[in-house]
Amino acid sequence: MSNDDLKKRLKKLTDSIVEPPVGEMAAPYALALAQADKFVALTALLPPTFVVRALVGPMPGEDPERTRMQKRRDAVRQLFLGGERKAAVEFMKKHAAAQIPAIEAVAKVASETFGKPDAKKKLGAAIKKGQFTDDLDPDTLAVLVLFQCEAIAEAPLRALLEDGRTPDQAKLEAALQRRADLVSLLSQCFLTRPITKGETR
Amino acid sequence: MSKQSPLATAALSLLAATPELVVQLIAPQVTKDSVDEPLLAAVAVALAKTGDAPAAKGLFARLFALRPTDVEVAVCLAEAAMAAADPATAVSALEKAFALDAQADTPAGRRARVLAFKLEKQLGSA
């Protein structure tokens, strides 16, 4: 069986995947996805621009000259994708905390997730309450969310979904529009080989 | 589902915390003609957790032969095959998983969809 044949067979499979209707995406679909992949589930729950912007760069219409933020985003992304999650947090604290004081508090909670189980719940609860969405740099939040995807306890995530909290409809629609980006991100995060130190993708 | 043997019970109880012990102590007890499904499942998962993807793939393939309508096993086989760099087996297993759960009604069926995207990306960048 050649590689091309395998690709054709896979394409047939992926082409058969049907998007869930927007209104039905919240609880059952995300819960099921949570069991398969927490990253996907969280992208369905959280404002999608946070995730998309942090990983794919400027959105259409954004100023491409926002190089400073882009560089910071790229650095954190590379650390994260390379498995250097602690380093990603440290980098984020160092470079972003001066601009947005609230980041310090969040980064502290995030750092604790590496060593203290309770911190996972705190961060999960904070996400649930939407505490971060108003006063945090979206890029920073995206990084927090991304590494938290692996750390977050399944029980709080399930509770979050089963509470019946439905994501904002407009944000869900935006998430669906960016579906292709998210699939690509999934691949970047979970599939491709880790970036080695000093290497750029 | 066959009745759970004492060996399978031991393997399942050890699996979550110490999969290494399952591999070291219980995997050698699995004979090539064993049809103890819970035992095969526990050892296969332990092998996958401890990074022996080729061996895990072999056991999941045996388990799928015993449970040809179990979408969860098909997906586990696909995942192990992907980890073992065997895309042909992975694609076949995913095709079976898609066929067994055509509407993605189960978590395993949805996981199969995620894996299909991942494998497509892997093959695309190969």
Side-chain angles (χ1 to χ4, degrees):
Chain A
M1 179 68 66
S2 73
N3 213 33
D4 283 344
D5 288 334
L6 291 176
K7 285 180 185 174
K8 283 178 190 169
R9 287 166 62 188
L10 262 180
K11 187 170 187 318
K12 192 176 173 186
L13 291 180
T14 53
D15 284 349
S16 73
I17 297 172
V18 179
E19 291 286 353
V22 171
E24 297 174 14
M25 191 173 177
Y29 186 68
L31 178 59
L33 279 175
Q35 294 166 351
D37 200 313
K38 295 177 178 63
F39 176 78
V40 180
L42 282 172
T43 59
L45 286 168
L46 294 166
T49 52
F50 293 165
V51 178
V52 175
R53 286 182 61 209
L55 284 174
V56 299
M59 299 301 290
E62 274 190 335
D63 182 0
E65 295 304 315
R66 295 171 67 222
T67 52
R68 188 176 162 194
M69 180 172 279
Q70 184 66 47
K71 281 179 181 173
R72 194 176 73 213
R73 179 190 298 152
D74 285 348
V76 176
R77 175 172 50 187
Q78 286 185 22
L79 287 169
F80 178 79
L81 291 176
E84 302 281 350
R85 292 181 172 80
K86 280 190 178 179
V89 173
E90 291 305 315
F91 183 96
M92 182 177 66
K93 286 166 70 176
K94 181 178 177 183
H95 291 272
Q99 296 178 354
I100 306 174
I103 289 173
E104 277 288 13
V106 180
K108 183 172 183 297
V109 174
S111 298
E112 288 172 350
T113 62
F114 293 108
K116 297 180 183 177
D118 283 353
K120 294 178 188 175
K121 293 180 183 175
K122 288 179 188 172
L123 187 52
I127 291 173
K128 182 178 175 181
K129 290 175 185 170
Q131 288 175 344
F132 297 159
T133 54
D134 291 332
D135 54 2
L136 263 192
D137 177 343
D139 298 321
T140 305
L141 178 59
V143 174
L144 285 171
V145 168
L146 285 169
F147 75 70
Q148 184 63 12
C149 288
E150 287 191 352
I152 195 165
E154 194 162 320
L157 180 60
R158 181 172 287 122
L160 176 68
L161 294 162
E162 290 178 348
D163 278 352
R165 175 177 175 264
T166 304
D168 180 88
Q169 197 74 0
K171 287 173 180 170
L172 269 179
E173 287 171 5
L176 287 177
Q177 287 169 6
R178 298 185 180 108
R179 177 69 180 182
D181 285 338
L182 293 177
V183 170
S184 169
L185 299 183
L186 253 182
S187 302
Q188 286 183 48
C189 288
F190 292 98
L191 279 190
T192 52
R193 62 187 171 80
I195 297 173
T196 53
K197 283 179 182 173
E199 181 187 7
T200 55
R201 196 178 289 283
Chain B
M1 175 75 70
S2 57
K3 188 180 176 185
Q4 192 163 304
S5 66
L7 202 55
T9 303
L12 290 167
S13 62
L14 289 171
L15 184 60
T18 53
E20 301 84 4
L21 281 182
V22 177
V23 172
Q24 288 172 16
L25 301 177
I26 298 177
Q29 312 295 320
V30 178
T31 59
K32 63 182 178 182
D33 54 354
S34 172
V35 291
D36 184 339
E37 294 173 18
L39 177 62
L40 289 175
V43 173
V45 171
L47 287 166
K49 279 187 172 183
T50 54
D52 190 346
K57 183 189 75 171
L59 278 191
F60 279 127
R62 282 174 59 184
L63 192 57
F64 190 55
L66 296 168
R67 295 188 200 172
T69 59
D70 191 330
V71 64
E72 178 74 37
V73 177
V75 174
C76 286
L77 173 57
E79 201 159 31
M82 285 170 65
D86 179 0
T89 300
V91 171
S92 295
L94 286 176
E95 285 173 338
K96 286 165 186 164
F98 272 59
L100 288 168
D101 186 358
Q103 300 301 316
D105 290 326
T106 65
R110 291 187 171 91
R111 199 165 129 232
R113 273 73 183 168
V114 174
L115 287 178
F117 277 123
K118 290 181 175 182
L119 186 55
E120 191 174 46
K121 178 72 176 178
Q122 274 184 346
L123 289 178
S125 61

